[in-house]
Amino acid sequence: MELLRLFITSVIPVIKVLLVLAVGSFLATESVDLLGPNARHHLNNLVFYVFLPALIGCSIANTITVKSVETLWFMPVNIFISCAIGSLLGYILVKITKTPPHLKGLVIACSSAANLGNMLMIILPALCEETNSPFGDSSTCSAYGEAYASLSLAAQAIYVWSILYSIMRTSANSIVKETAEILSETSAEPLLVSHSSSEDNIYQVDLPDEGNQRMSTFGKMKQCFMTTIRSKSLKMIFTPATIAAIVGFIVGIVSPFRKALVDDSAPFHVIYSSIDLIGEAGIPSMTLVVGANLLKGLKGSAVKTSLLLGILIIRNILLPVSGIAVVKAAMHFGLVGSYSLYQFTLLLQYAIPPAMNIGTILQMIGTGEAEFSVVMLWNYVVAAFSLTLWTAFYMWLVT
């Protein structure tokens, strides 16, 4: 009876997500065309640069303190563990299904990175507001839920834009190399020219560059440091959402900043409340964009059934089960506190569908976008049932 009550409680937030996703898909249809490609692009930019950073920064600043950091340190660790397990399972799936080279990165990405920001931002506060919620006072629960979701999103962004971005870019580059090799084999004249030039230059010796030899160790370190700072991968890690999370941490932890901005009696509280008001537009906007993007999956693509089925099994069965083992082990060794919402969030991180950021990366590298739409569509269709079941079971497990 208790499990049935928790199931009814957990189904409400999932239905809310599905309804907003359906509205986003409807607005993106050709007959309505309010969320066409251009509109999605501009709304996505607003979410990425304005709404999401405001939401994350205010949520973290409002709930994160020096004391809470001591209890929340395991959450980023848990996210990286889930990503590592998902990446391993995705790599095994690639080997079993003999995935085409240009889709290897996509499979590993969809198996490892979850849509932690969007889904947790909706599900956790919605669960807290339910009358039968097992997580106590709704206002306190919602505040902590938004902070957990914000912290999860920030930690996930580091993984997605560093490790995962490199994996997917390497996978895409393999196609470019294969194409170049095929073109070089079918073109005889360039090979002859190259061969001739190599014979003419066979006795040439490259002289050492005196400038490089004279460069000091400090100069080399400086050059390496500047190259790293200007690298595209580092810029992707420090997205506006990540920067907002860092600023939120500083404001929340440093007492003078908190007293000046966050507290109700703070002299500059109007600045904080204004930013918080802007951030409230983030969740509905993000969800509408996700729904509009899922519409592309209805057109279909050449994704093997075995590959699609494997991703669904990983995301909806294997990862949620492995999450129970990881979190229970952490609780056994005293790494996780006794707050039930915190334990529930750690478990739920393993049952969320794939991240939408994967589509952004695929758009940047120019491959796999159609296949990603199909994978995402089916993942969210299945998640309508699996996420409800896992949410109810996780609530029963921690309460």
Side-chain angles (χ1 to χ4, degrees):
M1 192 67 182
E2 180 70 15
L3 188 59
L4 178 62
R5 183 182 65 83
L6 291 174
F7 176 81
I8 295 173
T9 303
S10 63
V11 77
I12 302 299
V14 178
I15 291 176
K16 287 182 180 179
V17 174
L18 293 176
L19 289 175
V20 181
L21 288 174
V23 172
S25 299
F26 174 73
L27 295 177
T29 56
E30 294 181 1
S31 58
V32 179
D33 199 25
L34 286 177
L35 273 180
N38 290 333
R40 287 201 302 271
H41 174 73
H42 293 304
L43 183 57
N44 202 39
N45 282 340
L46 276 174
V47 170
F48 185 75
Y49 290 105
V50 182
F51 298 155
L52 194 58
L55 179 64
I56 290 175
C58 289
S59 298
I60 290 181
N62 186 39
T63 53
I64 298 298
T65 61
V66 175
K67 189 174 182 180
S68 64
V69 169
E70 297 175 359
T71 60
L72 295 180
W73 68 269
F74 184 75
M75 183 170 286
V77 175
N78 185 63
I79 291 171
F80 282 102
I81 291 174
S82 69
C83 291
I85 295 173
S87 298
L88 178 61
L89 294 173
Y91 179 77
I92 295 172
L93 178 62
V94 165
K95 293 299 181 181
I96 293 175
T97 59
K98 298 179 180 179
T99 305
H102 70 287
L103 295 180
K104 289 180 179 179
L106 171 63
V107 173
I108 295 174
C110 289
S111 301
S112 59
N115 192 8
L116 297 181
N118 300 34
M119 300 299 289
L120 290 182
M121 280 288 187
I122 301 171
I123 292 175
L124 294 181
L127 282 174
C128 292
E129 292 169 4
E130 289 299 310
T131 54
N132 295 325
S133 174
F135 301 124
D137 179 63
S138 60
S139 59
T140 304
C141 175
S142 297
Y144 277 102
E146 288 182 0
Y148 295 160
S150 300
L151 181 59
S152 300
L153 179 60
Q156 179 86 312
I158 296 174
Y159 168 76
V160 169
W161 291 110
S162 56
I163 301 173
L164 202 58
Y165 176 75
S166 300
I167 293 173
M168 296 175 69
R169 188 174 58 180
T170 303
S171 175
N173 288 340
S174 64
I175 294 297
V176 177
K177 291 180 182 179
E178 288 181 6
T179 305
E181 290 175 0
I182 293 172
L183 290 174
S184 64
E185 289 175 0
T186 55
S187 178
E189 291 183 4
L191 288 176
L192 291 174
V193 173
S194 176
H195 179 69
S196 175
S197 62
S198 63
E199 286 184 348
D200 293 338
N201 299 330
I202 194 170
Y203 296 108
Q204 291 183 0
V205 179
D206 293 333
L207 295 176
D209 189 348
E210 294 181 3
N212 289 338
Q213 282 187 334
R214 292 173 183 174
M215 184 181 293
S216 63
T217 304
F218 175 77
K220 291 179 180 179
M221 291 175 62
K222 181 181 178 182
Q223 186 179 29
C224 181
F225 177 73
M226 294 304 296
T227 303
T228 304
I229 288 179
R230 294 168 183 167
S231 66
K232 195 172 186 180
S233 299
L234 189 63
K235 291 178 181 178
M236 290 300 179
I237 294 173
F238 287 98
T239 60
T242 308
I243 296 172
I246 295 172
V247 173
F249 265 113
I250 295 173
V251 172
I253 292 174
V254 180
S255 182
F257 290 159
R258 170 176 283 276
K259 292 179 180 178
L261 290 168
V262 181
D263 294 342
D264 293 334
S265 59
F268 300 105
H269 182 73
V270 64
I271 298 176
Y272 170 83
S273 60
S274 300
I275 298 173
D276 187 44
L277 181 63
I278 295 173
E280 289 179 358
I283 293 175
S285 300
M286 285 188 294
T287 313
L288 288 173
V289 171
V290 171
N293 288 330
L294 290 179
L295 188 65
K296 294 186 292 184
L298 294 174
K299 299 177 181 178
S301 179
V303 179
K304 291 194 299 184
T305 305
S306 59
L307 189 61
L308 184 59
L309 187 62
I311 295 175
L312 291 174
I313 291 173
I314 290 173
R315 289 240 61 105
N316 297 281
I317 299 176
L318 299 182
L319 270 178
V321 171
S322 64
I324 296 174
V326 172
V327 175
K328 282 294 184 181
M331 292 169 61
H332 176 73
F333 290 105
L335 303 178
V336 176
S338 59
Y339 187 31
S340 58
L341 180 64
Y342 181 51
Q343 297 174 359
F344 171 77
T345 304
L346 295 177
L347 289 167
L348 196 61
Q349 288 171 347
Y350 288 84
I352 301 293
M356 294 303 298
N357 286 344
I358 300 171
T360 305
I361 297 176
L362 292 172
Q363 190 175 13
M364 291 171 56
I365 61 181
T367 181
E369 290 182 76
E371 291 83 356
F372 174 69
S373 298
V374 175
V375 171
M376 288 297 286
L377 175 65
W378 283 104
N379 267 279
Y380 275 82
V381 169
V382 175
F385 305 97
S386 67
L387 186 57
T388 303
L389 294 173
W390 284 116
T391 299
F393 181 71
Y394 287 157
M395 284 196 295
W396 174 79
L397 205 61
V398 299
T399 57

